[in-house]
């Protein structure tokens, strides 16, 4: 995922996709720091908060721990921001990498590089889902890495050929078009969830869900409940392989469209950071202001189109994107403008190698490594604080591994 980490100094020259204000600036440490901060909560931060909450039962930690879990369906918590923030940061990195590539090798070669990276990342996603040993019927075709691959490829290709105004129009069309499809396209009057399907099977004397689905001829529209909406029904009908939620997938076919919008929003933020005017502090303030407006608009839109991460609704794009803009503005001000960088160096190590850290977190599992190093009698020595100590060791392993790779300039990029 080279677009998410490669942002060294270069000039796009006469490239039409470059910011009108001039050359692309040096790599912004705040972008790697924010990406690492995002990855930290996946790889170890949640473990520590959970362990401390179980040990102390402090009301503040209980509240924070609740924010480190996904809402069941509609609504928004901090943990619901992790994935869209990563997609947002991919878009921000595209704003740096694509202009340099076009200036260096031209549009045709850049398109080939984008397509190659997208395909390789998609294949890594399939490999992660067990693609080398799992039959297609049991293979999850669309997952987290696959969605990132699709969003990166679509946003980067659009950026190669379209100017900013056209990209804004595409962004608006994606969000409005998705809302229009979800609200107006008729679906079968059947809810793809275990209990409703059991009741329907008992009433019809038929247990095959596909047959029950086809037998349902009555149509409805404008529903957004689990298993009872256009996106979920499209996944059930057309998405092959194993579906994450049995009958549909949170990274499904139709919901990829607004996810591309999240990537474009990050691209716009990256372009804003590269402007010469206004000054650095005003750019930070601008990101925060845009973020507040986006969050408010998202909540307003949610009155008609609920905030649902598993559907990646348009209101969810604006709310998650708004918080991403706010975080980017704060990180840019603190790290790049004020130069306060010591505190965020561990996040920079992680953010500079985000794909490696993510794959290691999913495959090796830092908590299991920490249990091997500090479990058993060592954990028992700390009594009620044992889980917290193991979580601390897991975070140490995470940062040590990221620092080891960073210092030796070992980066997994595709």
């Amino acid at each position: 995922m080279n677009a998410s980490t490669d942002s060294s100094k270069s000039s796009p020259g006469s490239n039409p996709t470059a910011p009108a204000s001039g050359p692309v600036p040096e790599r912004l440490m705040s972008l790697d720091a924010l990406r690492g901060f995002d990855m930290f909560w996946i790889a170890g931060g949640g473990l520590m908060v959970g362990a401390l909450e179980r040990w102390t039962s402090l009301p503040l930690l209980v509240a924070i721990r609740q924010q480190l879990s996904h809402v069941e369906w509609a609504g928004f918590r901090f943990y619901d921001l992790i994935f869209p923030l990563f997609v947002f940061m991919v878009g921000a990195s595209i704003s740096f990498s694509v202009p340099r590539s076009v200036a260096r090798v031209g549009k045709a070669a850049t398109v080939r590089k984008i397509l190659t990276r997208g395909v390789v990342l998609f294949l890594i996603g399939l490999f992660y889902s067990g693609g080398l040993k799992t039959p297609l019927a049991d293979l999850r075709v669309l997952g987290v890495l696959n969605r990132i691959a699709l969003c990166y490829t679509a946003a980067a290709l659009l950026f190669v050929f379209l100017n900013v105004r056209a990209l804004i129009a595409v962004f608006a069309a994606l969000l409005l078009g998705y809302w229009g499809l979800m609200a107006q396209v008729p679906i079968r009057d059947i809810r793809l969830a275990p209990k409703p399907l059991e009741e329907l099977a008992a009433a019809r004397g038929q247990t095959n869900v596909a047959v029950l689905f086809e037998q349902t001829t009555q149509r409805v529209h404008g529903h957004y409940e689990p298993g009872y909406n256009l996106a979920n029904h499209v996944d059930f009908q057309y998405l092959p392989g194993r579906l994450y939620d049995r009958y549909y997938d949170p990274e499904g076919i139709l919901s990829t469209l607004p996810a591309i919008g999240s990537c474009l929003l990050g691209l716009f933020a990256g372009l804003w950071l590269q402007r010469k005017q206004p000054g650095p502090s005003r750019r930070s303030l601008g990101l925060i202001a845009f973020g507040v407006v986006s969050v408010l608009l998202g909540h307003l839109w949610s009155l008609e189109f609920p905030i649902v991460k598993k559907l990646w609704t348009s209101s969810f794009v604006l709310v998650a994107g708004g918080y991403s803009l706010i975080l980017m503005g704060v990180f840019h001000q603190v790290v790049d403008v004020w130069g306060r960088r010591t505190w965020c160096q561990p996040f920079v190590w992680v953010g500079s190698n985000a794909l490696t850290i993510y794959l290691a977190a999913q495959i090796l599992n830092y908590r299991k490594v920490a249990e091997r190093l500090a479990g058993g009698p060592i954990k028992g020595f700390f009594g009620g604080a044992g889980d917290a100590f193991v979580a601390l060791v897991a975070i140490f392993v995470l940062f040590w591994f990221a620092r080891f790779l960073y210092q030796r300039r070992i980066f997994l990029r595709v």
Side-chain angles (χ1 to χ4, degrees), residues 276-287:
K276 286 186 174 180
Q277 297 295 332
S281 292
R282 288 185 177 272
R283 291 199 294 274
S284 301
L285 184 60
L287 288 172

Side-chain angles (χ1 to χ4, degrees), residues 245-279:
D245 286 321
R246 189 174 179 180
Y247 302 114
Y248 50 85
D249 202 290
E251 280 77 53
I253 298 171
L254 203 57
S255 61
T256 300
L257 296 176
I260 295 170
S262 295
C263 197
L264 288 175
L265 191 58
L267 191 155
F268 299 145
L271 291 176
W272 172 261
L273 285 180
Q274 295 174 49
R275 295 176 62 90
K276 286 186 174 180
Q277 297 295 332

Side-chain angles (χ1 to χ4, degrees), residues 17-47:
T17 64
S21 54
V24 176
E26 291 187 13
R27 179 181 187 135
L28 297 176
M29 182 179 286
S30 63
L31 299 187
D32 279 336
L34 180 53
R35 192 180 298 109
F37 172 79
D38 187 40
M39 189 60 60
F40 167 75
W41 295 104
I42 298 175
L47 290 175

Side-chain angles (χ1 to χ4, degrees), residues 126-127 129-135 139:
L126 292 180
F127 168 77
S129 297
L132 295 181
K133 61 180 181 179
T134 305
L139 178 66

Side-chain angles (χ1 to χ4, degrees), residues 75 79 102 119 122 128 135 141-142 166 171 190 193 199 215 223 237 280 301 308 315 343 348 353 392 405:
Y79 213 61
V102 172
V119 169
F122 194 93
Y128 170 72
V141 177
L142 294 181
F171 173 77
I190 179 173
E199 295 173 353
Q215 287 178 345
H223 288 273
Q237 287 183 281
W301 201 344
V308 182
S315 56
W343 69 274
V348 174
N353 226 332
L392 182 64
L405 297 175

Side-chain angles (χ1 to χ4, degrees), residues 6-274:
D6 181 15
S7 49
S8 56
K9 186 176 180 181
S10 183
S11 171
S14 59
N15 168 38
T17 64
S21 54
V24 176
E26 291 187 13
R27 179 181 187 135
L28 297 176
M29 182 179 286
S30 63
L31 299 187
D32 279 336
L34 180 53
R35 192 180 298 109
F37 172 79
D38 187 40
M39 189 60 60
F40 167 75
W41 295 104
I42 298 175
L47 290 175
M48 175 58 75
V49 173
L52 290 175
E53 183 263 329
R54 290 190 297 273
W55 178 35
T56 66
S57 298
L58 291 175
L60 177 61
L61 289 175
V62 173
I64 295 175
R65 182 67 184 89
Q66 185 182 32
Q67 289 296 315
L68 294 177
S69 62
H70 294 295
V71 294
E72 187 173 343
W73 189 253
F76 194 89
R77 293 179 186 157
F78 173 78
Y79 213 61
D80 297 310
L81 176 62
I82 303 301
F83 187 18
L85 175 57
F86 198 90
V87 175
F88 175 93
M89 294 305 298
V90 169
S93 297
I94 288 171
S95 73
F96 289 84
S97 62
V98 168
R100 288 197 312 272
S101 179
V102 172
R104 190 165 55 241
V105 299
K107 282 189 176 182
T110 297
V111 168
R112 288 194 294 271
K113 289 171 62 177
I114 291 169
L115 292 174
T116 299
R117 290 170 181 167
V119 169
V120 171
L121 184 54
F122 194 93
L123 292 176
I124 291 175
L126 292 180
F127 168 77
Y128 170 72
S129 297
L132 295 181
K133 61 180 181 179
T134 305
L136 180 60
D138 299 321
L139 178 66
R140 190 181 177 205
V141 177
L142 294 181
V144 170
L145 292 177
N146 308 88
R147 170 154 289 184
I148 292 172
L150 294 173
C151 290
Y152 161 74
T153 304
L157 289 176
L158 288 168
F159 189 39
V160 169
F161 294 106
L162 300 180
N163 59 32
V164 175
R165 288 186 178 181
L167 289 172
I168 293 173
V170 170
F171 173 77
L174 287 171
L175 299 196
L176 292 171
Y178 184 58
W179 179 36
L181 290 172
M182 293 288 287
Q184 298 301 324
V185 174
I187 63 171
R188 298 175 191 271
D189 189 12
I190 179 173
R191 181 171 177 178
L192 298 173
K195 187 175 181 179
L197 288 174
E198 288 175 6
E199 295 173 353
L200 187 61
R204 295 185 183 177
Q206 172 60 254
T207 58
N208 189 303
V209 177
V211 174
L212 289 173
F213 188 84
E214 292 297 330
Q215 287 178 345
T216 303
T217 57
Q218 185 174 346
R219 305 280 175 158
V220 295
H221 64 83
H223 288 273
Y224 310 113
E225 296 88 351
Y228 196 42
N229 59 78
L230 178 65
N232 290 168
H233 282 206
V234 167
D235 290 344
F236 179 76
Q237 287 183 281
Y238 302 112
L239 183 57
R242 178 178 64 87
L243 304 182
Y244 187 84
D245 286 321
R246 189 174 179 180
Y247 302 114
Y248 50 85
D249 202 290
E251 280 77 53
I253 298 171
L254 203 57
S255 61
T256 300
L257 296 176
I260 295 170
S262 295
C263 197
L264 288 175
L265 191 58
L267 191 155
F268 299 145
L271 291 176
W272 172 261
L273 285 180
Q274 295 174 49

